[in-house]
Amino acid sequence: MRERSTPEAIGVGAFGPIVVNPGHADYGRLLATPKPGWSGFSIAGFLSEAFPAARVIMETDVNAAALAESRIGAAAGLDDVVYITIGTGIGAGLLSGGRLVHDALHPEFGHFKVPRAPSDDFAGLCPFHGDCLEGLASGPAIATRWGRPAHDLASSHPAWECEAWYLAHAALALLATMSPLQVIIGGGVSQAEDFHAKVEAQLTRLAGGYYPTLEEPFIVAPALGQQAGIAGALMLTALAHGDDDSRLAAAP
């Protein structure tokens, strides 16, 4: 980057768990993570040392994606949106009332406990919680449970109804607690054929007609694809030049 320019602001959408409260002494430092070698590393500190004149703005990758999708993507114009990603792990970014949600830490949606699917005795892969959502429904969990990675499984494979069960129960919890107008599911696993329709069908059944905000299409694919997090990080850098706090106010 130094060979190209001297940035005034750097926006980062990072995997977590990471400290995103700007008032915290460890702002931008990764906490205990299953990703080898990253626990305790300060992304903000590293970038600030490399570019001392730049303002470094940290967010979670999923919050950055939620921000972008709510402004120029699948949920454009909506201020109450959830962005879920399913890949090597599972995470969610929450935009509520136009503000990105986090306080003491940030949402850890992947470690939410979900009801077991009927006859599912898979132990789960999460090194911290075993059978949390991430432990049961992430890409590595699918590969371990079924003996093949998600992209090698036909759309008729029972893996997808199992996956839809877990994502629908997790989405129901979001519907009951923060009442989003749209849930966007991205990440490699979500690219399977009819994935979003399967999750929506399960969610509609579970909701039982109770939630007035559950209008089709409610579970949708990201319009920005794999670029959603990058677009959101770019929006964060733009906010560095304004008066709004980038972790609290939505991008203009």
Side-chain angles (χ1 to χ4, degrees):
M1 288 175 63
R2 274 196 291 255
E3 294 175 359
R4 299 181 182 184
S5 66
T6 302
E8 296 178 17
I10 302 172
V12 181
F15 64 87
I18 188 168
V19 179
V20 289
N21 183 338
H24 199 285
D26 283 335
Y27 177 60
R29 185 180 299 278
L30 287 158
L31 304 175
T33 171
K35 293 179 172 61
W38 284 97
S39 295
F41 181 77
S42 176
I43 296 176
F46 178 83
L47 291 173
S48 293
E49 184 176 343
F51 302 100
R55 181 182 177 192
V56 179
I57 305 170
M58 300 295 307
E59 253 304 344
T60 62
D61 48 3
V62 282
N63 258 2
L67 183 63
E69 288 288 344
S70 72
R71 293 299 172 262
I72 59 173
L78 301 181
D79 284 339
D80 299 281
V81 175
V82 175
Y83 178 93
I84 300 170
T85 186
I86 314 170
T88 56
I90 295 180
L94 279 57
L95 189 77
S96 181
R99 294 174 179 271
L100 295 172
V101 174
H102 47 59
D103 195 358
L105 186 58
H106 49 71
E108 280 290 354
F109 177 75
H111 298 280
F112 178 76
K113 283 282 192 176
V114 287
R116 282 281 186 163
S119 303
D120 182 19
D121 59 359
F122 180 60
L125 287 184
C126 176
F128 297 98
H129 311 116
D131 61 351
C132 60
L133 178 63
E134 182 172 294
L136 292 172
S138 64
I142 292 173
T144 302
R145 183 201 299 270
W146 303 103
R148 284 183 290 168
H151 60 79
D152 283 347
L153 299 174
S155 60
S156 58
H157 194 283
W160 297 115
E161 288 303 325
C162 180
E163 188 75 3
W165 165 281
Y166 288 120
L167 267 297
H169 277 82
L172 181 66
L174 291 169
L175 191 60
T177 51
M178 69 165 292
S179 192
L181 293 169
Q182 198 124 76
V183 171
I184 303 158
I185 305 182
V189 170
S190 74
Q191 296 177 35
E193 183 180 354
D194 295 329
F195 178 86
H196 298 85
K198 285 183 170 70
V199 177
E200 179 137 341
Q202 290 263 24
L203 176 60
T204 301
R205 178 185 61 81
L206 290 170
Y210 183 77
Y211 298 94
T213 59
L214 183 56
E215 296 182 4
E216 293 187 8
F218 185 75
I219 305 289
V220 300
L224 301 175
Q226 304 287 37
Q227 304 301 313
I230 296 173
L234 183 60
M235 289 179 177
L236 294 173
T237 65
L239 285 170
H241 298 286
D243 295 328
D244 288 336
D245 188 303
S246 63
R247 288 149 301 277
L248 297 177

